[in-house]
Amino acid sequence: MEFFVRWHWFTALLLLLYMGGEVQSSCREENMQIQGGSYTLTKQLNIGSMLIYQCPDGYYPSPALTRLCQANGTWRPAPKKFKPQMCKRVECPDPNVLEYGSVNPPQEKYFVDNETTYECYSGYTLRGSSRRVCLPHGKWSGFTPICSRDSDNTCPDPGVPAGASREGNIFGIDDTVKYQCGSSLFLVGSNERVCQENGQWTGQEPACYYRHTFDTPLEVSEAFGAAIKGSLTTLEPTDDTQEGRIIRILKNGTLNIYIGVDISESIEEEHFRNARDAVLQLITKISSFSVSPNYEIVFFSSEIFEVANIIDFLDKKIKDLVDIKNKLGTFQIGDKNTAGTDLNLVFKHFEGKMAYIKQRVGENSFKEHRHVLIIFTDGAYNMGGSPAPTVARIKNMVYMNQTTDQELKRKASREDYLDIYIFAVGVDIFDDDLLPLTTDSATDKHYFRLKNIKNLQETFDDIIDESDVKGLCGLHKEYDTGGNIRKKYPWMAHITFKGLRNKCFGSLVTPKFILTAAHCFKFGDLPEDVAVDIDDGQGNVKKVKTFMLHPNYNVKAKVNQGVPEFYDYDVALVQLEDDVLISSNLLYFCVHTEQLLLKDQLEALSFLTKTDKIKEKNVRAKLGDNRDECIRHALQAPGVTTKNPKDVVTDSFLCTGGLEPQIDHIACTGDSGGAVFKNYQQRTVQIGLVSWGTKNLCGGGGVVDSDKTSRDFHINLFRVIPFLKSILGNDTQNDYAPLQFLNN
Ligand SMILES: *[C@@H]1O[C@H](CO)[C@@H](O)[C@H](O)[C@H]1NC(C)=O
Ligand SMILES: *[C@@H]1O[C@H](CO)[C@@H](O)[C@H](O)[C@H]1NC(C)=O
Ligand SMILES: *[C@@H]1O[C@H](CO)[C@@H](O)[C@H](O)[C@H]1NC(C)=O
Ligand SMILES: *[C@@H]1O[C@H](CO)[C@@H](O)[C@H](O)[C@H]1NC(C)=O
Ligand SMILES: *[C@@H]1O[C@H](CO)[C@@H](O)[C@H](O)[C@H]1NC(C)=O
């Protein structure tokens, strides 16, 4: 990323001119302090060094975000005596723009954690959020509140986003509304929207950003994920064989992806590696879709460093992505020229490739090519001029020069064929230069503002999970999430009870339901005695609406048969008052089908335990011929007098524990109700839930080894599916599939 501001190249020139002269070769560390924060220097006090201010979460540096050490040894911008550098509380744009309603409390300024509520005047109804909180990245939670009245208008009242003003109050076909942002704010999204025949506004709702407003990785993954997935799934090239040759390239729907990563100047090795890994992650993720795009991948400064040449794809020289990934993974800055940033050069480079493709495949086939341009930069280009004219030519090429009004509609239909995404990354971002380069789109956001690129790999990893959350249960992260348990076990929940009772584990199986063990509940427990602890970013503790134990669960059912506690059907579902927010951090489980499990005599499974931290316990379910030996130990459980292990352990249980063939971990008090799961690549499938064991070897919890005779029994979920379906099968109020049953 170019951390330099754009005058730096002539700073370099000045340096040359003054070489040998009496030039001060460094800046002074005077008046650099920031109240409430700290700063770092990219090259100590040397010329060209960039001073970057840091503030705690919820604060931003003001008046400057960064300072640059200029050739004559002064800082730009210079520290001001009367405007001391300080960490200011992040502000959210003014919400008092609501029409036909009131905002509470009315304030001049709104800061992080300030809460607002919205009410409409009588006769008007509210759409959007009635309560919003100012978030640390400078945005309001929820959605723009809009007060509107029933009317014959074609389009709904589009509202006024916080910080903005709107021109245009008629919402019939072809009526236009225009938006502007207040002072110190800039607009991201569509500044103009037109009401269409179908009752929808063109473009996207704009938002007003401060220079301290950023998109969170989650927002990026949601928006970019949905967008890129749109590109990937509308295209399903069929490898048609014609005259014995695969002619995919000439088939309908070729997807070309062009990626440019700014590596200029002061880019630190770490930043560069982060960007590179993010791209790697992106193409890996994309390859999990059935489409195989052609790639052009370059790093750039004032020069282009090509890693993947799209023409090789065109020539079918590239059969898989292994080579590209290797090249990407091993790409080093080394002694490459990183001086200067020529953003225009990248766009010209991509334009050139597109023109070549067009010439190669012919105008007609080119019409069927879609192009996705993805650029990572801070926008501080200092050579090559503005990329805007190049971008205009690219648009023309893809939109087929359709500029006259009659052809606007056809142009609109061509808009699907070009997407330009900009990931604006850095402390100091040149939004004004970057914003016009993206493509406007009715559905998707194309401009992303990221505070740093550290999270980018994670962001891209989130992309697919996020957009597929509804379809792919049990996804989790493969890589080290830095101790973020939530990402590794996104379905984990804790059930808590009033009083000093042990907590139980549970697993999220739909946005509303937690699966746990029936024995966690005591006779007479009421929903208000129970709570669910699960972090969806909206506060941890969830209220419980009701809970349902399996109707056949009866711990005393076999007292007379020598089984003092009988745990068959030890399963319960807890229904939450409100849905949890399903996100990449919070996913629900898949439930297996039996075939999946019973393939082997032994099945490696895991469940969780909690002491100070969440840890994973590893066990092997003894199946088939191994089962009888395993459940035999149930007879040694306290108080059991029956001689038939099957009286105690019905077919509904999985058996784990013992020392053979490996030492298993043993379940502890507090592990109850937790998911017994199996990991498949990126998916986790819940097989059972922790129910009971023969020995209490670990009252205090923790990862404890089994001994020779200790055995644990886990409810095999496959055996309680009718119960699960009877309750979850009705949970169809939302888009999420109630429960995923995997077949293979
Ligand atoms: C230092 O250089 C900058 C830019 O070249 C110029 O604006 C500034 O006035 C100079 N300051 C001094 C003290 O020479
Ligand atoms: C809004 O936030 C500011 C800064 O934290 C605080 O001083 C003020 O009391 C808050 N206002 C309300 C109504 O919470
Ligand atoms: C692509 O498909 C459309 C309809 O699906 C068809 O009209 C068009 O001719 C096809 N183009 C090519 C190059 O095959
Ligand atoms: C499209 O416009 C470019 C210049 O912007 C021109 O060179 C080209 O010939 C035009 N193509 C068509 C098909 O009109
Ligand atoms: C689910 O639906 C079935 C049939 O429609 C009904 O019998 C059952 O009581 C419902 N369960 C719940 C929990 O609402």
Side-chain angles (χ1 to χ4, degrees):
M1 296 307 109
E2 172 61 87
F3 280 140
F4 273 58
V5 268
R6 56 184 65 199
W7 47 83
H8 107 267
W9 65 271
F10 81 94
T11 312
L13 266 181
L14 282 176
L15 239 188
L16 281 178
L17 296 175
Y18 282 95
M19 206 103 84
E22 290 286 319
V23 173
Q24 197 178 346
S25 64
S26 65
C27 287
R28 275 183 301 175
E29 205 161 0
E30 247 170 39
N31 297 326
M32 293 293 107
Q33 309 80 341
I34 173 162
Q35 233 174 304
S38 60
Y39 62 85
T40 54
L41 292 159
T42 57
K43 295 181 185 165
Q44 289 100 40
L45 292 172
N46 297 326
I47 283 163
S49 181
M50 177 126 152
L51 183 147
I52 302 168
Y53 287 113
Q54 268 105 23
C55 287
D57 230 24
Y59 291 82
Y60 70 100
S62 170
L65 296 169
T66 58
R67 295 189 198 283
L68 176 74
C69 178
Q70 302 181 100
N72 55 12
T74 62
W75 291 104
R76 177 169 185 143
K80 290 195 183 81
K81 275 212 184 85
F82 304 109
K83 250 193 164 182
Q85 187 71 24
M86 62 166 83
C87 288
K88 284 194 169 171
R89 265 202 166 269
V90 163
E91 227 179 286
C92 281
D94 190 0
N96 291 290
V97 294
L98 178 68
E99 291 182 306
Y100 316 115
S102 60
V103 180
N104 264 301
Q107 273 167 227
E108 203 174 311
K109 290 186 168 195
Y110 295 85
F111 299 99
V112 177
D113 293 339
N114 278 181
E115 229 180 275
T116 45
T117 54
Y118 303 84
E119 263 178 79
C120 293
Y121 301 150
S122 73
Y124 291 85
T125 45
L126 181 80
R127 282 184 290 127
S129 307
S130 59
R131 177 186 161 268
R132 303 183 92 183
V133 180
C134 177
L135 301 174
H137 58 297
K139 295 187 192 175
W140 291 102
S141 65
F143 303 95
T144 302
I146 301 167
C147 293
S148 60
R149 239 194 322 218
D150 285 343
S151 74
D152 303 333
N153 283 327
T154 309
C155 287
D157 186 329
V160 186
S165 59
R166 192 190 69 210
E167 216 179 282
N169 283 307
I170 316 165
F171 314 134
I173 296 174
D174 288 341
D175 285 328
T176 302
V177 290
K178 288 182 184 171
Y179 295 92
Q180 267 189 328
C181 288
S183 64
S184 346
L185 290 161
F186 61 91
L187 185 138
V188 175
S190 315
N191 61 1
E192 195 174 304
R193 303 181 79 183
V194 183
C195 175
Q196 304 173 103
E197 251 168 279
N198 64 6
Q200 309 239 326
W201 293 98
T202 59
Q204 267 183 279
E205 182 182 52
C208 294
Y209 280 47
Y210 285 107
R211 275 169 55 73
H212 63 254
T213 309
F214 286 96
D215 298 318
T216 61
L218 184 63
E219 288 171 330
V220 175
S221 65
E222 270 175 7
F224 183 65
I228 194 81
K229 201 176 159 239
S231 296
L232 295 171
T233 47
T234 53
L235 281 175
E236 301 253 310
T238 44
D239 275 7
D240 245 18
T241 310
Q242 209 174 343
E243 295 165 7
R245 276 174 54 222
I246 290 170
I247 49 153
R248 194 189 68 208
I249 230 77
L250 292 173
K251 279 301 287 186
N252 255 345
T254 299
L255 176 64
N256 301 310
I257 298 183
Y258 311 76
I259 301 175
V261 182
D262 187 340
I263 57 160
S264 52
E265 213 63 66
S266 62
I267 177 113
E268 289 166 60
E269 194 67 23
E270 187 199 350
H271 281 170
F272 155 73
R273 275 198 307 270
N274 284 335
R276 184 192 63 189
D277 294 348
V279 173
L280 204 54
Q281 184 71 29
L282 179 65
I283 66 173
T284 304
K285 277 290 173 180
I286 290 174
S287 65
S288 65
F289 284 84
S290 54
V291 60
S292 24
N294 304 324
Y295 286 103
E296 176 73 30
I297 302 174
V298 304
F299 293 91
F300 70 96
S301 54
S302 58
E303 284 180 53
I304 297 277
F305 307 99
E306 191 175 63
V307 171
N309 184 348
I310 202 161
I311 308 305
D312 289 342
F313 284 87
L314 210 58
D315 291 342
K316 302 183 190 68
K317 281 190 195 152
I318 294 174
K319 294 208 169 50
D320 57 44
L321 288 175
V322 175
D323 285 349
I324 303 284
K325 286 196 200 170
N326 280 344
K327 262 170 105 178
L328 244 179
T330 55
F331 183 87
Q332 298 290 338
I333 295 183
D335 51 7
K336 293 183 179 66
N337 172 17
T338 58
T341 311
D342 190 343
L343 194 52
N344 194 12
L345 184 66
V346 189
F347 282 102
K348 279 183 168 165
H349 179 83
F350 293 160
E351 182 193 16
K353 296 285 175 170
M354 291 165 78
Y356 182 84
I357 293 170
K358 183 175 173 183
Q359 189 209 336
R360 271 286 294 276
V361 303
E363 184 111 9
N364 269 338
S365 292
F366 188 73
K367 275 187 193 154
E368 309 300 333
H369 278 237
R370 287 169 194 240
H371 310 269
V372 176
L373 278 60
I374 304 170
I375 311 273
F376 301 87
T377 182
D378 63 356
Y381 57 84
N382 50 29
M383 21 194 343
S386 165
T390 312
V391 170
R393 283 197 305 275
I394 289 175
K395 287 182 182 173
N396 252 348
M397 180 166 18
V398 179
Y399 297 159
M400 310 276 166
N401 282 9
Q402 280 143 17
T403 48
T404 55
D405 274 351
Q406 306 95 288
E407 286 184 302
L408 249 175
K409 283 208 174 93
R410 280 182 60 206
K411 170 183 167 280
S413 75
R414 296 278 321 154
E415 269 177 2
D416 287 348
Y417 288 82
L418 178 68
D419 285 298
I420 303 178
Y421 297 98
I422 304 242
F423 288 84
V425 189
V427 242
D428 229 350
I429 294 169
F430 289 76
D431 304 280
D432 293 347
D433 294 323
L434 292 178
L435 270 164
L437 305 179
T438 59
T439 44
D440 194 17
S441 151
T443 46
D444 305 320
K445 184 173 156 110
H446 284 68
Y447 187 68
F448 301 101
R449 255 185 142 247
L450 287 159
K451 212 164 196 168
N452 64 51
I453 49 179
K454 231 187 238 160
N455 300 329
L456 215 54
Q457 185 191 358
E458 215 172 311
T459 300
F460 285 153
D461 192 39
D462 283 342
I463 282 169
I464 307 291
D465 304 11
E466 187 57 38
S467 53
D468 280 343
V469 148
K470 292 170 191 175
L472 294 181
C473 50
L475 273 178
H476 69 93
K477 312 294 175 206
E478 277 180 299
Y479 57 85
D480 180 13
T481 51
N484 187 342
I485 293 299
R486 175 59 43 219
K487 295 229 155 164
K488 198 152 178 220
Y489 309 113
W491 29 261
M492 183 188 69
H494 286 101
I495 322 285
T496 58
F497 302 90
K498 261 196 192 147
L500 291 172
R501 253 191 287 165
N502 262 311
K503 288 181 183 180
C504 274
F505 272 97
S507 52
L508 189 70
V509 287
T510 77
K512 225 187 207 63
F513 282 98
I514 315 286
L515 184 61
T516 186
H519 80 259
C520 295
F521 299 87
K522 281 208 163 57
F523 184 75
D525 273 347
L526 296 171
E528 52 266 38
D529 301 329
V530 185
V532 170
D533 189 347
I534 189 163
D535 181 11
D536 64 349
Q538 313 254 310
N540 279 25
V541 178
K542 308 291 171 203
K543 280 197 183 149
V544 167
K545 185 169 184 190
T546 182
F547 55 85
M548 288 147 269
L549 312 188
H550 195 293
N552 298 346
Y553 172 71
N554 178 3
V555 77
K556 299 285 173 216
K558 288 191 175 174
V559 173
N560 295 336
Q561 288 158 262
V563 184
E565 293 176 14
F566 181 55
Y567 288 106
D568 212 7
Y569 306 108
D570 185 11
V571 54
L573 281 163
V574 179
Q575 183 176 359
L576 301 176
E577 198 75 62
D578 300 307
D579 286 11
V580 296
L581 196 67
I582 295 288
S583 70
S584 57
N585 288 351
L586 201 59
L587 293 169
Y588 44 91
F589 247 142
C590 316
V591 172
H592 76 114
T593 60
E594 190 137 52
Q595 300 90 302
L596 188 69
L597 181 68
L598 294 181
K599 277 195 294 231
D600 298 306
Q601 298 274 311
L602 287 166
E603 193 75 60
L605 302 173
S606 305
F607 54 92
L608 301 180
T609 194
K610 187 181 180 191
T611 43
D612 52 329
K613 276 201 321 219
I614 300 291
K615 294 204 175 108
E616 203 167 307
K617 290 183 175 176
N618 300 311
V619 292
R620 277 177 174 68
K622 279 74 180 173
L623 306 168
D625 299 343
N626 299 319
R627 191 169 193 273
D628 284 348
E629 206 291 317
C630 190
I631 65 168
R632 187 171 64 82
H633 295 275
L635 299 181
Q636 288 148 23
V640 171
T641 55
T642 175
K643 296 284 170 269
N644 183 1
K646 291 189 175 163
D647 284 347
V648 194
V649 185
T650 64
D651 282 351
S652 308
F653 288 98
L654 299 165
C655 183
T656 70
L659 308 178
E660 303 290 338
Q662 273 124 314
I663 304 174
D664 275 355
H665 292 134
I666 206 83
C668 299
T669 317
D671 298 351
S672 280
V676 177
F677 55 89
K678 185 169 169 59
N679 284 323
Y680 295 90
Q681 304 223 353
Q682 288 196 40
R683 267 186 179 203
T684 310
V685 177
Q686 180 165 10
I687 306 273
L689 62 85
V690 178
S691 178
W692 66 288
T694 58
K695 279 188 169 179
N696 190 356
L697 294 177
C698 46
V703 179
V704 176
D705 283 346
S706 177
D707 66 14
K708 199 164 187 304
T709 59
S710 176
R711 294 294 183 278
D712 292 321
F713 306 101
H714 315 284
I715 292 289
N716 178 347
L717 286 189
F718 188 71
R719 301 302 169 101
V720 293
I721 282 179
F723 166 70
L724 300 179
K725 279 195 169 163
S726 75
I727 292 163
L728 301 174
N730 296 11
D731 186 26
T732 49
Q733 304 93 310
N734 51 52
D735 298 342
Y736 306 112
L739 190 59
Q740 304 274 332
F741 297 94
L742 289 187
N743 286 314
N744 48 42

